[in-house]
Amino acid sequence: MTAAPILDGIVVADFSRVLAGPLATMMLADLGADVIKVERPGVGDDTRRWGPPWTASTSAYFESANRSKRSVELDLDDPVDRAAARELVRRADVLVENFRTGALGDKGFGYDELAALNPRLVYCSVTGFGSDGGAALPGYDFLVQAVGGLMSITGDPYGDPMKVGVALVDVLTAKDAVAGILAALYERERSGLGQHVEVDLLSSLLGSLANQGANFLATGESPTRMGNTHPSITPYETLRCRDGLLAVACGNDGQFARLADAVGAVGLEQDPRFATNPERVRHRADLVRALEECLAAEDAEEWVCRLTAAGVPAGTVGDIASGFALAERLGLAPRIPVGDGAIDQVRSPIGFSRTPVTDYRRPPMLGEHNDAVRAELNTPDESRNH
């Protein structure tokens, strides 16, 4: 028998909008939390109007980050609604917000005031540049990709800096927020107390730079754009075949030797310029030229078959449709239907042996759960010792 979802019984008051905050709370909803999305009356989350493309009731953008939630309209400037919102917070385990720093505090919903109301509350703030020197700066993914350096290492080395093709910094920040919230909930089991969790887009971006960030710290020099090549490994890039590009990812000398043999470049791995990875990186241009001379004999799909059989990581350069198709062929079931006219959702990427994510519900219409949520908040709650 399947156990109850991991976060069954956890109540999340979602005061966030756009992407980073809503994506984080959607992840919590996937794990079984009851996420109550607080929206502005008559307006709702900004992304409800971010289209095209449009769905039957809203935008695809909104539906990408708001499944399995309940929507209630509350005006925090209205005394009755403000009282309802405070009662929601009193009962909640988690609050997530991405207002301008201090804006919720001005309405009586800052961390200190709400911690006094509910000492067990885990209060997560998502900002663009932190709550100190960058508190007044607007936090938009594209802006952070630009000023944080991600664009400087993305794109053709001879072209302009480029943003990543998705709001990646928002996504990374959402995952950091979830990690922080779950850690705070775990710590609460020991202390009995919640705490203030803070994440910001710039710190999440810098924290995700991995080897590129370490390269800067080691040398004091900023890495630059290298297109599809890798600063420390080769061949770990796209190579041109007869009909287009082939992605090859050789992470060690053994894989390179098998690559050379499979493409018919006899003895290439014994050439002193290519025998080790540091030498291959040093002589990258010569290596690419030698490999592409061999690869020009066949189409990319044929090379994928040969290289995969030889144990060399390789693939064609596809699009999002082919990525979904590949996941389907591999049995990863990437699409989850939620019914009621809503578009399919992307399956949660996390698998659990005893508590799998199974309860996917369509994103809510604006204020869809007004009556139900207000009725619950008007019913005495004896289950929580806040």
Side-chain angles (χ1 to χ4, degrees), residues 4-315:
I6 288 176
L7 295 184
D8 185 47
I10 295 294
V11 176
V12 178
D14 182 5
F15 285 78
S16 68
R17 58 257 197 255
V18 186
L19 188 56
L23 190 59
T25 56
M26 186 180 79
M27 295 179 203
L28 298 175
D30 283 346
L31 297 177
D34 178 13
V35 177
I36 300 173
K37 185 175 180 68
V38 177
E39 301 194 68
R40 291 174 294 170
V43 179
D45 193 310
D46 295 340
T47 61
R48 288 185 180 274
R49 295 171 300 286
W50 283 14
W54 305 103
T55 66
S57 60
T58 181
S59 70
Y61 199 116
F62 175 83
E63 294 203 6
S64 74
N66 288 285
R67 67 169 173 250
S68 301
K69 303 178 184 180
R70 297 194 286 165
S71 171
V72 61
E73 296 171 287
L74 294 176
D75 180 356
L76 298 184
D77 293 321
D78 177 83
V80 174
D81 282 5
R82 189 163 57 246
R86 286 181 64 83
E87 178 61 19
L88 171 61
V89 172
R90 191 189 69 79
R91 301 181 184 213
D93 299 279
V94 176
L95 182 149
V96 178
E97 62 90 12
N98 59 353
F99 280 71
R100 174 182 53 80
T101 299
L104 274 185
D106 294 341
K107 298 178 183 295
F109 286 82
Y111 171 68
D112 290 338
E113 184 168 356
L114 295 188
L117 173 69
N118 177 359
R120 290 174 56 82
L121 181 69
V122 174
Y123 184 115
C124 179
S125 295
V126 182
T127 65
F129 297 93
S131 57
D132 293 322
L137 298 176
Y140 288 90
D141 176 278
F142 175 65
L143 178 62
V144 177
Q145 288 198 35
V147 301
L150 184 58
M151 287 175 61
S152 75
I153 57 171
T154 306
D156 189 288
Y158 304 105
D160 291 333
M162 297 292 292
K163 72 178 182 68
V164 181
V166 71
L168 184 63
V169 180
D170 276 336
V171 174
L172 293 169
T173 305
K175 291 180 180 290
D176 285 345
V178 170
I181 289 166
L182 295 179
L185 287 173
Y186 180 79
E187 193 280 336
R188 190 180 72 171
E189 293 301 302
R190 295 199 301 265
S191 67
L193 296 172
Q195 58 185 300
H196 193 184
V197 176
E198 297 183 79
V199 295
D200 67 85
L201 301 185
L202 180 58
S203 294
S204 288
L205 167 58
L206 296 179
S208 73
L209 291 177
N211 60 298
Q212 293 285 48
N215 291 350
F216 163 70
L217 295 175
T219 67
E221 298 180 1
S222 294
T224 57
R225 295 185 304 286
M226 297 183 65
N228 290 327
T229 62
H230 193 287
S232 307
I233 315 171
T234 194
Y236 199 96
E237 54 211 282
T238 52
L239 300 170
R240 191 158 296 282
C241 304
R242 184 168 63 187
D243 68 337
L245 294 176
L246 172 73
V248 174
C250 284
N252 56 57
D253 294 340
Q255 290 176 342
F256 173 68
R258 294 195 293 276
L259 168 67
D261 180 66
V263 302
V266 179
L268 194 66
E269 75 280 7
Q270 298 173 0
D271 187 314
R273 296 172 298 167
F274 313 133
T276 65
N277 181 69
E279 290 302 315
R280 289 194 294 275
V281 171
R282 189 171 292 112
H283 299 94
R284 185 193 305 270
D286 292 339
L287 176 60
V288 169
R289 189 160 41 248
L291 289 173
E292 290 188 338
E293 286 177 1
C294 298
L295 292 171
E298 299 288 351
D299 291 347
E301 286 283 4
E302 175 60 27
W303 285 122
V304 170
C305 293
R306 294 190 191 185
L307 294 177
T308 300
V312 178

